[in-house]
């Protein structure tokens, strides 16, 4: 599903350039549940952004579902982002002034799905994360774990085959953390490929493969 070969990423500002990812080689198959870990600044989010098609400013090769991402124009990349990838972030990234169900409908609006189908699909996505009784709540009326479940519902509503989650439990207590990880586990069992960034040992236990980044280099890649 993901094929990365000799990928290098250098951030350049006016004064300095930082070599953040160094000759990364990584193959991820469909259906994997993989964690990327490593200390702060090791390049985890940079790698996730590239995998998610949010950053095309790199050298080397990256193919997602056999499509060479660097060969695509912005329009094609956004299409892939909207249809094949679900993103989950540490800080939820929900819109505060609209309800849970309206947040979940957003990707369907971009995908030009009809209004009626939008609300039924958003409802089903919220139901699948156990929030069918909270669909009309606003983000500030929900707990952290519930907000993250809304964010997961939003990530899966387009039925993507790849879910990218950057520290999805970083802002949560241990009970919510376990709930969220069980949802990822369920999604993985349904066939979704999950790539998750985490520092947390409890979270790592859920993942079947672990990659450790250090200073932009993969220093470990192990199955458990
Ligand atoms: N826009 C940018 N311009 C310049 N340097 C950047 C930029 N974004 C990130 N960096 C640098 O790239 C390196 C890797 O950053 P990245 O965000 O990928 O780390 P990370 O492993 O996700 O860290 P954390 O665990 O703290 O989230 C860091 O040294 C960071 O300072
Ligand atoms: Mg990061």
């Amino acid at each position: 599903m993901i094929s990365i070969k000799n990928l290098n990423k250098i951030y350049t500002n006016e004064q300095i350039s930082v070599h953040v990812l160094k000759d990364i080689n990584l193959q991820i198959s469909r259906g994997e549940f993989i964690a990327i870990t490593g200390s702060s600044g090791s390049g985890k989010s940079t790698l996730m952004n590239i995998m998610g098609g949010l950053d095309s400013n790199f050298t080397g090769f990256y193919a997602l579902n056999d499509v060479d991402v660097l060969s695509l124009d912005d329009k094609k990349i956004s299409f892939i982002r909207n249809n094949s990838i679900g993103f989950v972030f540490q800080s939820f990234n929900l819109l505060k002034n609209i309800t849970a169900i309206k947040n979940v409908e957003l990707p369907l609006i971009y995908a030009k799905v009809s209004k009626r189908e939008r609300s039924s699909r958003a409802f089903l996505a919220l139901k699948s994360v156990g929030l069918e009784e909270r669909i009309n709540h606003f983000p500030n009326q929900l707990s952290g774990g519930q907000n993250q479940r809304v964010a997961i519902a939003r990530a899966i509503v387009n039925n993507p085959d790849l879910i990218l989650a950057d520290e999805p439990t970083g802002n949560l207590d241990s009970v919510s953390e376990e709930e969220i990880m069980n949802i990822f586990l369920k999604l993985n069992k349904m066939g979704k490929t999950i790539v998750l960034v985490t520092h947390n040992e409890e979270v790592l236990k859920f993942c079947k493969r672990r990659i450790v980044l250090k200073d932009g280099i993969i220093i470990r890649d192990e199955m458990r």
Side-chain angles (χ1 to χ4, degrees):
M1 160 164 263
I2 283 179
S3 175
I4 292 175
K5 289 177 188 155
N6 302 320
L7 186 148
N8 282 271
K9 166 78 189 178
I10 300 176
Y11 282 114
T12 35
N13 302 343
E14 301 82 48
Q15 325 285 338
I16 45 159
S17 71
V18 198
H19 197 164
V20 178
L21 295 173
K22 300 168 186 160
D23 278 324
I24 299 288
N25 287 286
L26 179 60
Q27 310 292 319
I28 301 177
S29 306
R30 190 168 290 277
E32 283 203 60
F33 192 166
I34 176 170
I36 301 174
T37 186
S39 53
S40 179
S42 56
K44 305 181 296 294
S45 296
T46 304
L47 182 58
M48 289 287 267
N49 289 342
I50 290 174
M51 284 186 198
L54 296 165
D55 179 2
S56 304
N57 190 5
F58 61 86
T59 62
F61 176 78
Y62 170 37
L64 176 62
N65 290 329
D66 297 321
V67 178
D68 178 353
V69 170
L70 283 181
S71 74
L72 302 174
D73 58 26
D74 287 351
K75 214 171 150 196
K76 291 212 176 89
I77 291 182
S78 339
F79 182 84
I80 289 177
R81 262 205 316 268
N82 287 336
N83 292 283
S84 333
I85 308 176
F87 293 93
V88 181
F89 303 93
Q90 177 172 2
S91 51
F92 321 138
N93 289 13
L94 299 173
L95 297 185
K96 305 227 174 319
N97 55 342
I98 57 175
T99 59
I101 191 157
K102 291 292 175 200
N103 266 287
V104 177
E105 282 183 38
L106 285 175
L108 300 174
I109 294 178
Y110 304 136
K112 301 198 166 63
V113 172
S114 75
K115 201 168 176 184
R116 185 190 298 167
E117 191 182 333
R118 281 202 310 261
S119 47
S120 68
R121 279 170 63 180
F123 176 77
L124 286 177
L126 282 164
K127 190 167 178 233
S128 76
V129 297
L131 283 180
E132 64 271 31
E133 283 167 8
R134 295 286 187 279
I135 62 169
N136 291 318
H137 285 232
F138 289 86
N140 68 357
Q141 299 169 329
L142 296 167
S143 70
Q146 289 171 335
N147 274 313
Q148 193 60 299
R149 284 191 271 156
V150 176
I152 292 173
R154 181 185 57 186
I156 60 175
V157 74
N158 260 342
N159 199 24
D161 32 39
L162 174 64
I163 295 175
L164 299 176
D166 196 346
E167 300 270 5
T169 65
N171 284 334
L172 304 178
D173 63 85
S174 58
V175 174
S176 311
E177 175 179 287
E178 198 173 335
E179 275 172 17
I180 295 296
M181 289 313 297
N182 278 315
I183 291 172
F184 281 124
L185 198 60
K186 186 177 91 180
L187 290 167
N188 180 244
K189 286 192 175 133
M190 288 163 56
K192 310 253 180 236
T193 308
I194 299 184
V195 184
L196 181 150
V197 167
T198 185
H199 284 112
N200 183 318
E201 278 300 322
E202 294 305 312
V203 169
L204 282 169
K205 285 181 192 157
F206 284 83
C207 306
K208 294 177 190 124
R209 179 177 167 199
R210 177 192 305 207
I211 278 175
V212 185
L213 273 180
K214 187 180 181 203
D215 298 330
I217 295 171
I218 295 180
I219 57 163
R220 249 191 358 242
D221 182 349
E222 57 200 14
M223 306 291 275
R224 52 176 288 277

